[in-house]
Amino acid sequence: MYDAKAKVLKALAHPTRLWMTEQLANGERCVCEFVDAVDADFSTISKHLAVLKQVGIVEDDKRGKQVFYKLKVPCILNFMSCVEGVIESQVNAQAALLKK
Amino acid sequence: MYDAKAKVLKALAHPTRLWMTEQLANGERCVCEFVDAVDADFSTISKHLAVLKQVGIVEDDKRGKQVFYKLKVPCILNFMSCVEGVIESQVNAQAALLKK
DNA sequence: TTATCATTTGGTTATTGTGCCAAATACTCA
DNA sequence: TGAGTATTTGGCACAATAACCAAATGATAA
């Protein structure tokens, strides 16, 4: 069970994948839109999306020449405010250390 | 920003670290308790806890010979029900595929 | 101070993840 | 069918991670 959960978290634990996941919260996007936005190879983006798909975070939908991805589990994002909280408290702790 | 968030997620994205984090939700634990429970070397456990500490998920408290760790950000766990949902829907999808 | 216990750190090796390129596939339109 | 566009796949080089062992550190008790 912990293995399965860790896999899902691992899928999210990459800056590009995390960013794409948050983008998908605003609605579906085609692969090409990501490629334009991120400065990376088509294949790199495609592989990242495949990772998200494999664990069930997103799903794809081929329409014409393009493939559209959409977020399957919006609750994923509820978590982010907590993660942001972790980061903020870390930043504050570091700042406090520097002041000493 | 996405880098920072990804780091926090990456810290959680390991079965042992995830398990330890959930254990810490029930109160602080000393390193030795984890070593007894997980079948792994002291050093392995210690390093995992260091990863969690480094990103600010847990904090440590040395008391006498022992070091106690505790969860700094309980909200981390709110997320897990969502992750479990992801897994469940994956399992169902796979089952549906097999039936065909 | 020395012995001992609890934990961390350093080093090594095996495994996994990342990103690019090139080639393959899938679809559409002429 | 053939050309062109969108995406995926395979392969490779390189970086990062994980787990173990051995050695170092820190605290306590004898």
Side-chain angles (χ1 to χ4, degrees), chain B residues 19 30-42 45 66:
Chain B
W19 176 80
C30 100
V31 180
C32 54
E33 290 178 87
F34 287 129
V35 176
D36 288 344
V38 182
D39 186 32
D41 201 75
F42 261 92
I45 299 297
Q66 293 173 320

Side-chain angles (χ1 to χ4, degrees), chain A residues 25-46:
Chain A
N26 303 318
E28 62 173 22
R29 297 272 184 279
C30 101
V31 180
C32 55
E33 290 178 88
F34 287 131
V35 175
D36 290 345
V38 182
D39 186 32
D41 201 75
F42 261 92
S43 66
T44 302
I45 299 297
S46 176

Side-chain angles (χ1 to χ4, degrees), chain A:
Chain A
M1 191 57 194
Y2 288 96
D3 273 36
K5 288 198 244 178
K7 262 184 204 163
V8 174
L9 289 170
K10 205 182 251 185
L12 282 173
H14 185 287
T16 304
R17 291 198 293 267
L18 197 51
W19 176 79
M20 293 198 295
T21 302
E22 293 197 14
Q23 292 305 302
L24 292 176
N26 303 318
E28 62 173 22
R29 297 272 184 279
C30 101
V31 180
C32 55
E33 290 178 88
F34 287 131
V35 175
D36 290 345
V38 182
D39 186 32
D41 201 75
F42 261 92
S43 66
T44 302
I45 299 297
S46 176
K47 276 175 186 173
H48 279 312
L49 287 166
V51 170
L52 291 171
K53 182 183 162 189
Q54 215 235 319
V55 300
I57 292 175
V58 305
E59 58 190 349
D60 59 348
D61 179 19
K62 193 164 220 165
R63 292 205 299 274
K65 284 191 270 194
Q66 294 173 321
V67 178
F68 291 85
Y69 279 85
K70 73 177 184 194
L71 195 55
K72 222 166 142 188
V73 233
C75 62
I76 284 290
L77 296 168
N78 301 342
F79 182 52
M80 291 310 147
S81 61
C82 174
V83 173
E84 279 156 24
V86 175
I87 292 162
E88 217 168 289
S89 75
Q90 271 302 83
V91 170
N92 292 340
Q94 305 261 327
L97 278 178
L98 286 176
K99 265 190 196 164
K100 278 184 190 170

Side-chain angles (χ1 to χ4, degrees), chain B residues 12-30:
Chain B
L12 281 173
H14 185 287
T16 304
R17 290 197 293 266
L18 197 51
W19 176 80
M20 292 198 296
T21 303
E22 293 195 14
Q23 292 305 303
L24 291 176
N26 303 318
E28 64 173 21
R29 296 272 184 282
C30 100

Side-chain angles (χ1 to χ4, degrees), chain B residues 70-83:
Chain B
K70 71 178 185 192
L71 196 54
K72 223 168 142 186
V73 231
C75 62
I76 285 288
L77 295 169
N78 301 341
F79 183 51
M80 290 310 147
S81 60
C82 173
V83 173

